[in-house]
Amino acid sequence: MPAKPRIRSVETIAESRLFRIEELHLTFSNGVERVYERMVGDYPDSVIIAPFLDNETLLMIREYSAAIDAYELTLPKGLVDDGEDFFEAANRELQEEIGYRAGDLDYLCPLRIAPGYIDHTSHVIRATGLSPSRLPGDEPEALEIVPCNIGDIDDIIAREDVTDARTIATLYLVNRQ
């Protein structure tokens, strides 16, 4: 593996309330120079949860995705709040988004979201032993709960409204368990 590139300079080129965009001027070990951009900010980790009502029935949600201006079929997910561990965050998000609490939570793996541009990790959690329990959430509208059979994973992933990479990766991860 070659040595990491040398950062010649860093310049902030844009900023919002959520992040700033930096331009990195790099020199690679072979002498090639490039300019990369990255989003920098204080990004708390997040969780994405695959909640199973039984061995086959996965509960997905339909929610609005502002960046693509469309409704997506996805999995419950959200940020890990200060003082929470991954399991506490997963159970809170489940109660807020689908109205269930998990009796069993299994950590599967971390996923990096576009590591070439942003340093953010989403942790994949499998939730079973669900029982009804509701917490108020921060969604602007009620989320539609869509039961899906995990055996139909190919059909689920082929849907036009399933495009979130974290959701697709999580579906494959829980299907192989």
Side-chain angles (χ1 to χ4, degrees):
M1 179 180 309
K4 288 190 336 185
R6 180 175 61 84
I7 299 174
R8 296 188 323 273
S9 66
V10 178
E11 178 185 341
T12 297
I13 58 173
E15 201 161 358
S16 79
R17 65 182 175 84
L18 298 176
F19 59 86
R20 76 178 178 277
I21 299 175
E22 291 180 344
E23 195 173 75
L24 277 72
H25 296 258
L26 304 171
T27 302
F28 286 80
S29 60
N30 62 1
V32 173
E33 294 183 353
R34 287 285 191 276
V35 177
Y36 279 59
E37 291 180 0
R38 67 179 177 191
M39 291 191 294
V40 180
D42 184 20
Y43 304 111
D45 284 356
S46 65
V47 290
I48 183 164
I49 310 109
F52 282 86
L53 198 54
D54 56 43
N55 288 339
E56 290 85 31
T57 310
L58 176 70
L59 298 180
M60 298 185 75
I61 57 174
R62 186 176 325 284
E63 71 178 331
Y64 181 72
S65 296
I68 62 170
D69 188 29
Y71 281 87
E72 280 279 298
L73 186 61
T74 185
L75 293 168
K77 58 190 162 308
L79 296 177
V80 177
D81 289 343
D82 285 338
E84 283 185 321
D85 64 29
F86 304 135
F87 299 118
E88 291 166 331
N91 245 336
R92 177 183 47 76
E93 288 293 338
L94 287 173
Q95 292 172 87
E96 290 175 1
E97 295 189 2
I98 65 168
Y100 284 93
R101 175 177 186 74
D104 295 302
L105 295 165
D106 298 312
Y107 184 89
L108 299 184
C109 69
L111 293 176
R112 290 284 179 121
I113 301 168
Y117 300 100
I118 187 170
D119 182 9
H120 177 77
T121 304
S122 204
H123 300 274
V124 179
I125 310 286
R126 179 186 173 100
T128 56
L130 302 182
S131 60
S133 179
R134 167 107 19 222
L135 289 174
D138 58 1
E139 283 71 32
E141 63 184 359
L143 301 176
E144 179 186 352
I145 300 168
V146 181
C148 296
N149 186 314
I150 193 64
D152 297 332
I153 186 171
D154 292 334
D155 293 333
I156 296 167
I157 291 169
R159 294 173 56 120
E160 289 183 10
D161 61 348
V162 177
T163 65
D164 175 56
R166 292 176 298 167
T167 296
I168 294 168
T170 298
L171 291 172
Y172 279 120
L173 288 164
V174 298
N175 192 47
R176 73 175 199 194
Q177 295 292 317

